[in-house]
Amino acid sequence: MAHRVTLIPGDGIGPEVTEATKRVLEATGVAFHWDLAYAGAGVMDKYGTPLPEYVLESIRKNKAALKGPVTTPVGSGFRSVNVALRKRLDLYACVRPCKTYPGAPSLYKNVDIVIIRENTEDLYAGIEFEEGTPEAARLIKLIAETKGDAVREDSGFSLKMISEAGSRRIVKFAFEYARAYNRKKVTAIHKANIMKFSDGLFLAIAREVAQEYPDIEFEDRLVDNMTMQLVKRPQQFDVVVAPNLYGDIISDLCAGLVGGLGVAPGANVGVEIAVFEPTHGSAPKYAGQNKVNPMAMMLSGVMMLRHLGEVKAADRLEGAIAGVIAEGKNTTYDMKINNAQVVGTSQVADAVIEKLGEI
Ligand code: NAD
């Protein structure tokens, strides 16, 4: 029976990488029924929102979605569709594997890190108070009364909230993931020496949860130290669990370790629902040029195949992508090493489909 999956092409480079991914997924022989759904600035006029209810309904019904990137206006305009989607569907865990494939333009070998990023709390909760508003003034007054600290009157606020329940479920998710995928170690990232009541809580819960998994090694790292260690010796890390903001930053750092955003896939996972999308954004300057790398989205498709129980097809597709990277003849500009030939987005899909035929 065909898998029913919500397909959100997104905007910018989204539609191109989505089309390439749809083609390679179908070429595995697994049958899909795609429910097309549109989100972002392009649907604002029609629905009055960048995230129409029908999109959420479709994902709730199908329980799985494949999503291209969606642009978020900077500073003003609507809030992020991506953040809203994760919040509305309670997709609390963001899973981002970063793995070196031989032939990729990386300074490192044998990196295989999976970042588990908390998706719903921390500074991304969207609870903000604009500078100069009565609400900001009330907060400044409350801080003065309760803490005796003077906050500048022209301050804006973005609140950082980390809960015990939120920390427990993400750390548990990381350990369960480690068990399911036969991984050996979980590293928790924080800045608990400075933010004692938010990151400190996250760390305390992480230590508590770790006790339930004696078969898996546990360690913690301050986020600043972690960035240095990742650059120096990334092979020492296995599964990494982090609150929202650190997880976001470290994901891009790790993508850089393994060849760039063009090969960094991801999934946003809740209790029942999972939305698969690359780590990269909509790269508007490259939109419509058949130029960017579709492999991050294809590898997100590999993760989706595994999630749907299509493990053989997932292994074949990952093998085909790895084969194309190793050959180095049919990759996009971001994968170029020395004078290697460069092709466009759709030609990468052609090459992956050809390789699938050989596996
Ligand atoms: P970006 O990831 O879109 O692009 C940054 C740079 O990375 C690009 O200029 C390009 O050089 C490179 N790049 C990205 N994807 C690539 C690919 N597939 N192949 C080759 N090179 C690639 O980040 P940005 O410029 O900070 O963000 C652009 C927009 O995307 C913003 O509106 C942002 O909010 C949005 N965004 C969306 C998501 C999402 O939908 N999940 C994630 C991140 C950013």
Side-chain angles (χ1 to χ4, degrees), residues 67 69-72 82 261 277 280-283 285 292-293 333:
K67 175 186 164 295
V70 176
T71 305
T72 307
N82 310 301
L261 287 170
E277 61 173 344
H280 66 72
S282 56
K285 70 178 175 192
V292 297
N293 194 348
Y333 75 97

Side-chain angles (χ1 to χ4, degrees), residues 96-101 108-115 177 181-185 230 234-240 254 257-258 318:
R96 287 176 166 173
C98 293
K99 182 169 163 183
T100 37
Y101 291 99
Y108 305 90
K109 285 197 175 83
N110 304 322
V111 176
D112 187 4
I113 301 171
V114 179
I115 294 160
Y177 183 96
Y181 289 91
N182 208 12
R183 290 186 170 255
K184 307 281 174 270
K185 184 168 80 172
L230 274 169
Q235 296 82 357
Q236 67 182 297
F237 297 108
D238 191 347
V239 174
V240 172
C254 289
L257 297 178
V258 300
E318 187 179 8

